[in-house]
Amino acid sequence: MVLELLRPAGSVLAETVILIAMYLFRRRPLPVEIPPDMRAGLKAGILICTSPRSGSNHLAGLMAATGLGNPLEWFGGRRVLEMPNYPRDPRAQVLHALKDGRSPSGIYAVKLFASQFSQVAKTVDLPASLPKLRYMRLTRGDLVGQAVSWTRARQSGRFRSTEADQKRPGYDGKAIADSLEKIILENLAWDVWFAKNGLSFLSLTYEELLEHPRTCLERAASLVDAKLVLKPGSDLDSGLDIQRDTINEEWRERFLAEYSDTSNFHANNCRRGFLKKRSSRFSI
């Protein structure tokens, strides 16, 4: 009400004062208080900052198999969809992540998309809530391949090789373009967040993970001063197989033939062009 009284018609100065006041007096989210007995058993934590179809399920399985936590989507995502009794409150989800995302070694891990972080950040200071936290950045070099994979998974309902198709997927160029744009925005949100907070992180790619899984895991272990827990003679196995097949390649070729245009930045066939200002999607 007070701010409305400062708003004379057409006053740019008043608008600026209001925006500054809203910024200064906004309520900053608070961290979750961790019970002392839970905190005492935690050696370190890894926050995997990534985007959909980046190989994060494969990485999560490998980390779980080698004592580097259990990095699932503890904030929204599949936990909410698959577990009817899973809490919707991010503060309760923090406690679940620290309890169920932890290995016997005392290392816990969380997989997080930028869009999920944006929602959690409305009520919880997540980094301040996670003790002894280290950061990992997982990306995929082939963005078109990632977009094709995500589009197909959303259509079929099959996000892991251990699942069956719920629906038969079909090529949809606009859906792939939309997936590509969302992935780019997810990556951009993380890039800006890391840069503006001056945070260091371990960078891994999907391609590196497929080619050199043990090296990637050893780098992850060194991030938290740990060693891989692996039974002698056993092979690294996430329990998942690569889902990419000839259908993905066919969709990719068709998409590039339909949308490729080196003459400008915009995809004219897309229902909305790339690189539009849509920063309001994420709280960065």
Side-chain angles (χ1 to χ4, degrees):
M1 179 64 72
V2 173
L3 293 180
E4 289 299 322
L5 295 176
L6 295 176
R7 193 194 296 268
S11 174
V12 176
L13 177 59
E15 294 288 345
T16 304
V17 170
I18 290 170
L19 290 175
I20 293 174
M22 290 174 64
Y23 176 80
L24 292 176
F25 292 103
R26 67 177 180 176
R27 185 177 179 182
R28 183 170 182 171
L30 298 175
V32 177
E33 241 182 86
I34 309 303
D37 57 336
M38 179 180 288
R39 183 181 289 271
L42 299 174
K43 178 182 177 181
I46 300 175
L47 183 64
I48 303 173
C49 305
T50 189
S51 58
R53 311 308 290 171
S54 62
S56 58
N57 286 330
H58 180 50
L59 175 61
L62 291 175
M63 289 177 63
T66 53
L68 295 178
N70 187 25
L72 301 180
E73 291 173 43
W74 299 112
F75 299 93
R78 294 181 67 92
R79 301 289 77 69
V80 173
L81 294 175
E82 295 174 349
M83 302 172 63
N85 296 324
Y86 193 74
R88 267 51 175 177
D89 180 6
R91 307 185 77 81
Q93 291 173 354
V94 168
L95 300 181
H96 266 270
L98 295 178
K99 178 185 176 183
D100 299 332
R102 172 187 164 188
S103 293
S105 61
I107 296 170
Y108 69 91
V110 174
K111 182 177 77 169
L112 193 66
F113 301 148
S115 51
Q116 294 169 343
F117 187 18
S118 178
Q119 291 300 313
V120 174
K122 294 177 181 179
T123 55
V124 170
D125 185 341
L126 186 58
S129 301
L130 301 176
K132 305 173 185 177
L133 190 61
R134 302 291 184 272
Y135 299 100
M136 180 190 296
R137 185 85 168 82
L138 176 65
T139 57
R140 184 167 174 172
D142 181 8
L143 294 178
V144 172
Q146 186 176 356
V148 167
S149 177
W150 193 20
T151 302
R152 184 177 177 183
R154 287 193 291 174
Q155 286 185 358
S156 67
R158 185 188 185 194
F159 289 86
R160 295 188 178 96
S161 61
T162 53
E163 299 171 340
D165 284 356
Q166 298 176 17
K167 293 181 180 180
R168 184 176 180 178
Y171 174 80
D172 186 337
K174 288 184 178 180
I176 294 173
D178 184 64
S179 295
L180 179 58
E181 183 178 4
K182 289 177 179 177
I183 289 168
I184 290 171
L185 288 171
E186 287 263 348
N187 289 337
L188 178 61
W190 282 126
D191 290 343
V192 173
W193 183 76
F194 276 112
K196 78 183 184 68
N197 288 291
L199 296 172
S200 59
F201 58 90
L202 170 64
S203 179
L204 295 179
T205 68
Y206 169 81
E207 290 79 8
E208 290 173 335
L209 189 62
L210 292 183
E211 190 73 21
H212 307 290
R214 189 179 187 93
T215 300
C216 290
L217 289 173
E218 287 174 345
R219 292 173 64 193
S222 66
L223 187 65
V224 289
D225 297 321
K227 293 184 179 180
L228 299 182
V229 179
L230 191 62
K231 294 180 181 179
S234 61
D235 296 326
L236 288 174
D237 185 12
S238 68
L240 299 173
D241 296 321
I242 294 176
Q243 294 176 254
R244 184 174 63 254
D245 57 21
T246 55
I247 293 177
N248 294 63
E249 295 305 316
E250 290 171 4
W251 285 18
R252 177 194 180 89
E253 292 178 8
R254 187 171 173 183
F255 174 79
L256 291 176
E258 183 178 355
Y259 282 82
S260 179
D261 181 0
T262 59
S263 67
N264 60 65
F265 282 126
H266 299 286
N268 294 326
N269 292 329
C270 186
R271 58 186 171 88
R272 58 176 180 266
F274 294 140
L275 304 180
K276 282 188 177 181
K277 185 177 180 182
R278 297 170 63 203
S279 60
S280 59
R281 287 176 49 105
F282 303 116
S283 298
I284 56 176

